[in-house]
Amino acid sequence: MLVTVNALPLAVGVLLSCSTTLGEISVYGRLTLAITWAFTQLVVLVGGTWWYENRAVSSFEPASATTTASRPAGGAW
């Protein structure tokens, strides 16, 4: 999922890096499209990573059969 979310911003970033005329388009004052897109890509990457980390931690539950208390005495499985 993390790769899928970041694939489109990466592809657009590659296209912008290949064309200097597109990257030089002024968005606001001296802020260009290339810098705006790079910042957007960074936000998507950090946000997606944060979301993925939270989902991975919250869905972690130890398997009940692997705990020491659930094993029968005598070492038999």
Side-chain angles (χ1 to χ4, degrees):
M1 178 70 181
L2 185 62
V3 173
T4 305
V5 169
N6 287 295
L8 180 64
L10 179 63
V12 174
V14 169
L15 288 175
L16 283 175
S17 68
C18 292
S19 173
T20 57
T21 55
L22 285 175
E24 291 176 349
I25 295 173
S26 180
V27 175
Y28 181 77
R30 293 181 57 183
L31 187 64
T32 63
L33 183 61
I35 296 297
T36 304
W37 192 257
F39 181 71
T40 302
Q41 189 174 0
L42 177 66
V43 169
V44 167
L45 176 67
V46 170
T49 305
W50 174 80
W51 175 81
Y52 182 80
E53 289 271 333
N54 280 341
R55 294 253 320 170
V57 170
S58 67
S59 66
F60 175 74
E61 294 179 17
S64 61
T66 60
T67 60
T68 307
S70 66
R71 292 186 193 141
W77 291 91

